[in-house]
Amino acid sequence: MAIAVLVVGERVAGESPDVTFELLGRGRELADALSGELAVVVVNDLDEGAQFGIADVLYVVDGMDSASYSAPQWEAAIGAVIQRVSPQVVLVSTGTVGIDLAGALATKFNAPLASYVIDVTAQGDKLVVTSQLYGGKLLSEGEIDAFPAFVSVLPGSLPVEKGRAQGSPRVEHIDAGDQLRLSKGRGTELREPDTSGVDITSAALLVSVGRGIGSKENLELVAELAEAMKAPLSASRPVIDQGWLPKPHQVGKSGKKVKPTVYLAFGISGAPEHLEGMRSAETIIACNTDPSAPIFEVAHYGTTLDLFDLVPELTDIVGG
Amino acid sequence: MHIVVAMRQLADLVEELEVNGDGTDIDRDFVKFVSNEWDEAALEEALTIKDESAASVTVVALDEPDVDQTLYAALAKGADRAVKLTGHDPSAWVRTRERAQRIASFLAHEEFDLVLTGVQAADDLDGQLAGILGSTLDIPHAAVVVGVELTGSSLRVAQELGGGLVGVSELELPAVLGVQAARQAPRYASITRIRQAMQTQKIEEQEVSLEVTTPQVTVRRLYPPEKQGGATMLTGSAKDVATEIVNILRSKGLV
Amino acid sequence: MLAIIETRKIFAGETEVAKIVFYVLALIVLVIFFVGVIRRLVVYNRGRRAPNFAWLRRRDPRDVPEVSERPTVPSSLVTIATNQTIIKTKHKVGVSHWLLFWGFIGLFLATSILSLDYDVLGNASRIITGHTYSFFQGPFYLAYNAVFDFAGLLALVGTVLLASRRWFSKEPQLDYTRAQKPESGYSRARIVIGDHVFVSGLLLILVTGLLIQGLRIDGEHFPSFEQWTWLGYLIGKGFAGLGVGAAAARAVHAWLWWVHVGLALAFVAYIPWSKAWHMLASPANLAVRDFSNVRRLPQPPADNAGYRSVDDLTPKELLGLDSCTKCGRCHVVCPARTGGAPLSPRDLILDLRQLADHKHGIPLLFDTETRPSPTGPMNEDGCLAGEVVVGETLWSCTTCMACVEICPVGIEHVPLIVQLRRTLVDQGAMDPTLQSALQNIATQGNSFGKSSRMRARWTKGLDFPIVDARTQHVEYLWFLGDFASFDERLMDISRTLATVLHANGISFGILFEEERNAGNDVRRVGEEGLFEMLVEQNMNAFAKASFDKIFTTDPHSFNTLRNEYPAFGLDRPVLHYSELLAKLLFTGKVAPGNLMRKVTYHDPCYLGRYNRIFEAPRAVISALGCDLVEMPRHGVNSFCCGAGGGRIWMDDSVLDERPSVNRIKEASTLDVDYFVVACPKDYAMFSDAVKTVGIEDKLKVVDIVELFAEATLSSALVDV
Ligand SMILES: Cc1cc2nc3c(=O)[nH]c(=O)nc-3n(C[C@H](O)[C@H](O)[C@H](O)COP(=O)(O)OP(=O)(O)OC[C@H]3O[C@@H](n4cnc5c(N)ncnc54)[C@H](O)[C@@H]3O)c2cc1C
Ligand SMILES: Cc1cc2nc3c(=O)[nH]c(=O)nc-3n(C[C@H](O)[C@H](O)[C@H](O)COP(=O)(O)OP(=O)(O)OC[C@H]3O[C@@H](n4cnc5c(N)ncnc54)[C@H](O)[C@@H]3O)c2cc1C
Ligand code: SF4
Ligand code: SF4
């Protein structure tokens, strides 16, 4: 059987990212609809933790430096695989590796490319893709009828569990040595994230506290929760003003603007100056005893429970 | 060292965006156009390189609504030259592949060492410019660049790989970079300076005549996502609510 | 019998040689004095000439009559003669200064009269007629002594009071510690020495003068007519009492006279070269000061975006710098300095003066700060903005005008600060939050970065439509400003004001999406180009609308519309909504209320100090039946909330205490329940500050129109 869908495994170091399994899950459906096989390509060594059981074929590109990342090298390697297996659909993410690959390879193979995709299905001999454009203000529904087609999916858009199914794909090794030698770039190093300083602007989850916490001693309670959730603590200005937390933790007009995936707000009323810093968070969950607190107007989920009741429960569930 | 910065106009996302009559594009008559914020970062990085070494900076953009404003602002900030490419319908949506080809045909008769552009734009349905342009010109490229180091003829870039991991690599020149963030926030050009630039400097216009046919996504319809209302209130005991919150976090892969 | 002629011999104890020595010395001193004066005047005169420059300005047609206090020559003379700018906030110091001022003028007159008699009349008559005439005798002599001894006493009392303040007082204004502390360290020891030289010099001249008078009378065996010289006579008696006989007195007199004369001559020579120069510069500066420069900022220099070097300073500014007496009043009232920001208006003036005077080759003796490395005012090649005066200092200013208001010598700090900020803006050297606010204003026309189409969103929820002044004629065009339009907390208040006006049949409308930020604070931030762009946009919108008058919610917009827009063609009266509310009450349209609340009222800087509107809001508050308790700092001395001059867009975490918090603490000492404001920014700042202080249950921040609505609308619309 021919390869219908090729998923690019975008693991550079550590574990394979979730998005690869999102792509595999949807890739399976597309491959079935297109009556072909699902393949996944990984670079260099196998990710021991991931079996890619849902795929029919696992391509391993040998000969690449696994201690660094280089866009031209990846482009050469994945290009070589595509050349060799001629898939109908190539699935990547709209993340760094995916952005590096998709545009360049689509151009190289003179193939259509859809980016910022949050949904992709096969309908007859066409692909129907939904993309999130204009910062999510508008969705675009489009169709692709030329193959091979490149689809770049926004991480977090598709279910991830399905892609983790067990199984044992055939493993094929591909040597891209020739192409790699020709490529006009090489990786030099990977720098691990600096965890020393707090950077509330880059966290996916923020545990944020307001004056509702009452005192510095009480802050301990929320700090425990943050620790259990492995999320940084952030705060509204009064908490900073009191000296309960240092200035880099402040969210808002005169602090930092944050855009985490989830913003947990405890005892924050939602003054305009505070909202300015966090309203573009993807999901806002607010806990405030006052049902008319303005924070509930921007929050996606809210509760009027007392934070002193709720926080310990949360810590229990997450930590224990 | 000659750095070319590719900039572009984009509908101002602060405004309400409306969809045009046939439902396949935004209604371009009623939106305000501003420069793409990531292109501003690319420009800043280019100007910082210029401040450090003797680089010259050329800004190039397709003719789009209010593009002059962006180009004059770039000149006011210190760019040496601004070029506006014409030859297409300035009021229509220019897909990324076409944009890349137009810029490539301008670059074909330019001596350049580095092209900087923004990592992405909010209407990049057909992919992001840097990779497409790199491939079109057949030169190396890298996206989501957060650091550029030019020493002599060697280029080192730092790319954000997610989760805070940064990949550093070397590229041969010339190269195209999609800039995510410059070393510093984009500088401010005062209105007085911009007005001065308008009086003392000129925007070069170059016509690019090109028939572009690339396979692309056909947009069937453009529509606003369904609105979610105010906060969904979680009720019940502290334990119930906590469980629900943790479920939300789990569904996002956060705990 | 020999007729006694009541007089005394001039140069009595001196030889002819001594006389010649004196005249030679006096001549040298006069030369030094006039060279000093002329050099300074030449330097001032070479300053940058702003358009329409005139030393003594006449009325300007753009002045708003009820605000303008442009000084006239007579009014300046009165100000100078009464020392009123010194007395107005510090009575004791002011009165001491007044004594010294008039005492010395008296003594100067005395010396001049003597010189007229002896040197002019005496010599002239001798040459012309061969006889030496003198009017320094008889009753004139007696009256002269009686009067000028009194002047001497005034001067002595004033000088002793001021000197002892200088020596012993611990008042913060006399503390020369800088607000902005250079890393390298600094020393102001020389400046302190200069103060002591000045005040001790004056005191010594006075004391020796009185002593020689006493010694002379003692030496002359107390002629009875010398009792008219009452102070000298008493002092002489004192000497006699101490056993100083006539001969001894004459001997002491002979050398003490030289001490006195030497000191006096030295002091005259010292005047144009030292702190003493303020004796001449300050009154001159008071004569040319003009508050309207603060309300309506001057243009940037023609060839630069803002001030960079001393060449950009105007003659008036150079004179102003030299006038500063380091009284420190501005240093004390400045909300930025009070809050711990690295700005003191006094230091700013002193730094600029040190630099300018050094560069112009006319440094004032004992007036320089020293530093181990050439930074700040010692950085002679540095850019004024950013190097000589560091950016953080300039950005700290709220443009509250408190310094200008209190400065006894009429220095205008705010226009200078803005001229310097213009350079920083040109260089792009600013806070990132400020930069994004300016960018928002440039693209969206408001600092919130919201779509201009959202500007009238606050009108949703009103049960009557708001008129679009572009389609229908209205009496009043309501200019809301950004905060009243976009800030969620303030939209309620805007709706309340709309309801009140509607209920009272006022014809008003708004510009909907076409209103732009008025640009008051944009201009004060130093972004002149953006200001002009906003004026253009607003003027275009005004042109499309049909209205008789404008009223604003925001005192900042009020200031620029009223004082700065006329230069761009705005020809309609501009009011503040508190004035409109007052009008409703006092034309009998609305019956007074009976709220029986104890309240205090905060004067917004741009309403009060800038535009002298103190009465309208107070009248409204009283008419509503509230008991108004004033804060210690009110009216012209009101304390800034910290939001002005673009500060609301900048990070204030550098402050030890926000001005708004300082203000709320002041109010909390009063026995009141409500803190009334008449400015949207005040509402935002103070409703935050009451929480910070932790007294939001005790002291409620309310807008004046909320009180108005509660008292006058039948159904209580707002629960205050
Ligand atoms: C490889 C890669 C990695 C990236 N990694 C990250 C990352 O780690 N973190 C990250 O944040 N981004 C990241 N980005 C950028 C990301 O793709 C998005 O562009 C970015 O997150 C912007 O998303 P946004 O819609 O939240 O913000 P914006 O595009 O700035 O839009 C702001 C949103 O807020 C709304 N809004 C604005 N003002 C108001 C207001 N006053 N009231 C109500 N609503 C308002 C607007 O309608 C809009 O929806 C990455 C991009 C790439 C290419
Ligand atoms: C110019 C300016 C700039 C500013 N910049 C910023 C900024 O950058 N960031 C910022 O945050 N603020 C800023 N502010 C301050 C802002 O106006 C608010 O004062 C501040 O955000 C309020 O913080 P808060 O919500 O923590 O406190 P509050 O408004 O006091 O809210 C506390 C909330 O906690 C709730 N609560 C109390 N007890 C409990 C409990 N046991 N369980 C659950 N809920 C409880 C209460 O109902 C209340 O709603 C700025 C203000 C100004 C004027
Ligand atoms: S205007 Fe106000 S803040 Fe600025 S220097 Fe003067 S007193 Fe200080
Ligand atoms: S500027 Fe004016 S108020 Fe300030 S110290 Fe000098 S004289 Fe005094």
Side-chain angles (χ1 to χ4, degrees), chain A residues 211 237 241 247 253-254 269 272-273, chain C residues 487 489 648 651-653 658 688 691:
Chain A
R211 201 197 318 259
R237 195 174 73 180
D241 280 354
K247 175 81 182 170
K253 180 190 179 79
S254 45
S269 63
E273 290 86 1
Chain C
D487 189 297
R489 279 169 303 208
I648 198 156
D651 182 15
D652 55 6
S653 61
R658 273 187 278 280
D688 174 48
K691 289 190 189 174

mmCIF file of all heavy atoms in Angstrom, chain A residues 211 237 241 247 253-254 269 272-273, chain C residues 487 489 648 651-653 658 688 691:
data_model
loop_
_atom_site.group_PDB
_atom_site.id
_atom_site.type_symbol
_atom_site.label_atom_id
_atom_site.label_comp_id
_atom_site.label_asym_id
_atom_site.label_seq_id
_atom_site.Cartn_x
_atom_site.Cartn_y
_atom_site.Cartn_z
ATOM 1 N N ARG A 211 -5.467 40.650 46.177
ATOM 2 C CA ARG A 211 -5.531 41.107 47.555
ATOM 3 C C ARG A 211 -6.411 40.203 48.416
ATOM 4 O O ARG A 211 -6.286 40.196 49.643
ATOM 5 C CB ARG A 211 -6.088 42.531 47.594
ATOM 6 C CG ARG A 211 -5.765 43.289 48.842
ATOM 7 C CD ARG A 211 -6.672 44.500 49.000
ATOM 8 N NE ARG A 211 -6.853 45.189 47.742
ATOM 9 C CZ ARG A 211 -6.201 46.306 47.408
ATOM 10 N NH1 ARG A 211 -5.363 46.834 48.238
ATOM 11 N NH2 ARG A 211 -6.424 46.889 46.247
ATOM 12 N N ARG A 237 -1.337 43.938 41.428
ATOM 13 C CA ARG A 237 -0.377 44.903 41.958
ATOM 14 C C ARG A 237 -0.377 45.032 43.485
ATOM 15 O O ARG A 237 0.702 45.151 44.084
ATOM 16 C CB ARG A 237 -0.592 46.281 41.321
ATOM 17 C CG ARG A 237 0.590 47.183 41.565
ATOM 18 C CD ARG A 237 0.498 48.482 40.841
ATOM 19 N NE ARG A 237 -0.496 49.352 41.449
ATOM 20 C CZ ARG A 237 -0.768 50.562 40.999
ATOM 21 N NH1 ARG A 237 -0.158 51.032 39.942
ATOM 22 N NH2 ARG A 237 -1.676 51.312 41.583
ATOM 23 N N ASP A 241 2.782 45.400 45.794
ATOM 24 C CA ASP A 241 2.991 46.618 46.589
ATOM 25 C C ASP A 241 3.267 46.299 48.045
ATOM 26 O O ASP A 241 4.064 46.964 48.701
ATOM 27 C CB ASP A 241 1.733 47.501 46.536
ATOM 28 C CG ASP A 241 1.671 48.291 45.250
ATOM 29 O OD1 ASP A 241 2.649 48.221 44.480
ATOM 30 O OD2 ASP A 241 0.652 48.971 45.019
ATOM 31 N N LYS A 247 8.427 42.244 42.221
ATOM 32 C CA LYS A 247 7.849 42.929 41.057
ATOM 33 C C LYS A 247 7.737 42.080 39.781
ATOM 34 O O LYS A 247 6.744 42.204 39.053
ATOM 35 C CB LYS A 247 8.675 44.190 40.793
ATOM 36 C CG LYS A 247 8.308 44.973 39.549
ATOM 37 C CD LYS A 247 7.115 45.863 39.766
ATOM 38 C CE LYS A 247 6.789 46.581 38.457
ATOM 39 N NZ LYS A 247 5.524 47.283 38.489
ATOM 40 N N LYS A 253 -1.222 46.381 33.684
ATOM 41 C CA LYS A 253 -0.806 47.590 32.989
ATOM 42 C C LYS A 253 0.623 47.988 33.344
ATOM 43 O O LYS A 253 1.429 48.253 32.484
ATOM 44 C CB LYS A 253 -1.761 48.710 33.416
ATOM 45 C CG LYS A 253 -1.523 50.056 32.810
ATOM 46 C CD LYS A 253 -2.421 51.052 33.570
ATOM 47 C CE LYS A 253 -2.250 52.458 33.074
ATOM 48 N NZ LYS A 253 -2.973 52.739 31.839
ATOM 49 N N SER A 254 0.902 48.033 34.644
ATOM 50 C CA SER A 254 2.244 48.448 35.033
ATOM 51 C C SER A 254 3.117 47.244 35.365
ATOM 52 O O SER A 254 4.174 47.385 35.952
ATOM 53 C CB SER A 254 2.181 49.433 36.198
ATOM 54 O OG SER A 254 1.289 48.989 37.181
ATOM 55 N N SER A 269 -10.041 41.052 41.807
ATOM 56 C CA SER A 269 -11.345 41.621 41.466
ATOM 57 C C SER A 269 -11.507 41.832 39.959
ATOM 58 O O SER A 269 -12.611 41.808 39.448
ATOM 59 C CB SER A 269 -11.544 42.945 42.196
ATOM 60 O OG SER A 269 -10.571 43.873 41.759
ATOM 61 N N PRO A 272 -9.576 47.189 35.615
ATOM 62 C CA PRO A 272 -9.149 47.316 34.221
ATOM 63 C C PRO A 272 -7.636 47.205 34.052
ATOM 64 O O PRO A 272 -7.168 46.616 33.086
ATOM 65 C CB PRO A 272 -9.634 48.715 33.828
ATOM 66 C CG PRO A 272 -10.717 49.036 34.774
ATOM 67 C CD PRO A 272 -10.472 48.272 36.034
ATOM 68 N N GLU A 273 -6.876 47.770 35.009
ATOM 69 C CA GLU A 273 -5.417 47.711 34.877
ATOM 70 C C GLU A 273 -4.904 46.282 34.968
ATOM 71 O O GLU A 273 -3.883 45.952 34.404
ATOM 72 C CB GLU A 273 -4.736 48.553 35.954
ATOM 73 C CG GLU A 273 -4.910 50.050 35.787
ATOM 74 C CD GLU A 273 -6.186 50.544 36.425
ATOM 75 O OE1 GLU A 273 -6.918 49.713 37.016
ATOM 76 O OE2 GLU A 273 -6.480 51.747 36.315
ATOM 77 N N ASP C 487 -12.729 53.282 30.155
ATOM 78 C CA ASP C 487 -12.462 52.575 31.404
ATOM 79 C C ASP C 487 -13.784 52.070 31.986
ATOM 80 O O ASP C 487 -14.710 52.844 32.201
ATOM 81 C CB ASP C 487 -11.768 53.516 32.397
ATOM 82 C CG ASP C 487 -11.273 52.790 33.632
ATOM 83 O OD1 ASP C 487 -12.099 52.232 34.390
ATOM 84 O OD2 ASP C 487 -10.059 52.778 33.841
ATOM 85 N N ARG C 489 -14.793 51.175 34.852
ATOM 86 C CA ARG C 489 -15.285 51.783 36.084
ATOM 87 C C ARG C 489 -15.911 53.136 35.823
ATOM 88 O O ARG C 489 -16.802 53.578 36.544
ATOM 89 C CB ARG C 489 -14.114 52.037 37.035
ATOM 90 C CG ARG C 489 -13.666 50.877 37.820
ATOM 91 C CD ARG C 489 -12.353 51.217 38.484
ATOM 92 N NE ARG C 489 -11.352 51.601 37.504
ATOM 93 C CZ ARG C 489 -10.053 51.436 37.664
ATOM 94 N NH1 ARG C 489 -9.584 50.913 38.763
ATOM 95 N NH2 ARG C 489 -9.206 51.794 36.726
ATOM 96 N N ILE C 648 0.432 58.364 33.996
ATOM 97 C CA ILE C 648 -0.523 57.262 34.107
ATOM 98 C C ILE C 648 -0.158 56.132 33.136
ATOM 99 O O ILE C 648 -0.564 54.995 33.315
ATOM 100 C CB ILE C 648 -1.971 57.762 33.878
ATOM 101 C CG1 ILE C 648 -2.976 56.741 34.433
ATOM 102 C CG2 ILE C 648 -2.236 58.050 32.405
ATOM 103 C CD1 ILE C 648 -4.312 57.306 34.788
ATOM 104 N N ASP C 651 5.377 53.154 34.326
ATOM 105 C CA ASP C 651 5.500 52.280 35.479
ATOM 106 C C ASP C 651 5.804 53.120 36.719
ATOM 107 O O ASP C 651 6.725 53.924 36.709
ATOM 108 C CB ASP C 651 6.655 51.309 35.209
ATOM 109 C CG ASP C 651 6.828 50.333 36.348
ATOM 110 O OD1 ASP C 651 5.899 50.233 37.179
ATOM 111 O OD2 ASP C 651 7.867 49.663 36.400
ATOM 112 N N ASP C 652 5.015 52.951 37.775
ATOM 113 C CA ASP C 652 5.298 53.753 38.966
ATOM 114 C C ASP C 652 5.879 52.908 40.099
ATOM 115 O O ASP C 652 5.823 53.288 41.259
ATOM 116 C CB ASP C 652 4.057 54.527 39.426
ATOM 117 C CG ASP C 652 2.870 53.619 39.655
ATOM 118 O OD1 ASP C 652 3.037 52.386 39.573
ATOM 119 O OD2 ASP C 652 1.783 54.143 39.922
ATOM 120 N N SER C 653 6.439 51.770 39.748
ATOM 121 C CA SER C 653 6.963 50.926 40.821
ATOM 122 C C SER C 653 8.245 51.479 41.426
ATOM 123 O O SER C 653 8.701 51.005 42.447
ATOM 124 C CB SER C 653 7.197 49.514 40.308
ATOM 125 O OG SER C 653 8.135 49.545 39.270
ATOM 126 N N ARG C 658 3.076 56.050 46.251
ATOM 127 C CA ARG C 658 2.417 56.742 45.153
ATOM 128 C C ARG C 658 1.789 58.028 45.677
ATOM 129 O O ARG C 658 1.242 58.029 46.786
ATOM 130 C CB ARG C 658 1.335 55.846 44.554
ATOM 131 C CG ARG C 658 1.860 54.925 43.474
ATOM 132 C CD ARG C 658 0.723 54.184 42.806
ATOM 133 N NE ARG C 658 0.315 53.035 43.589
ATOM 134 C CZ ARG C 658 0.954 51.874 43.594
ATOM 135 N NH1 ARG C 658 2.013 51.715 42.843
ATOM 136 N NH2 ARG C 658 0.533 50.898 44.330
ATOM 137 N N ASP C 688 -8.145 53.174 43.559
ATOM 138 C CA ASP C 688 -7.082 52.207 43.803
ATOM 139 C C ASP C 688 -6.364 52.522 45.121
ATOM 140 O O ASP C 688 -6.092 51.633 45.927
ATOM 141 C CB ASP C 688 -6.107 52.262 42.619
ATOM 142 C CG ASP C 688 -4.883 51.404 42.845
ATOM 143 O OD1 ASP C 688 -5.049 50.242 43.247
ATOM 144 O OD2 ASP C 688 -3.767 51.887 42.619
ATOM 145 N N LYS C 691 -7.879 51.492 48.461
ATOM 146 C CA LYS C 691 -7.668 50.064 48.729
ATOM 147 C C LYS C 691 -6.260 49.829 49.244
ATOM 148 O O LYS C 691 -6.055 49.047 50.168
ATOM 149 C CB LYS C 691 -7.868 49.256 47.452
ATOM 150 C CG LYS C 691 -9.302 49.160 46.994
ATOM 151 C CD LYS C 691 -9.378 48.138 45.890
ATOM 152 C CE LYS C 691 -10.705 48.098 45.186
ATOM 153 N NZ LYS C 691 -10.632 47.188 44.039
#
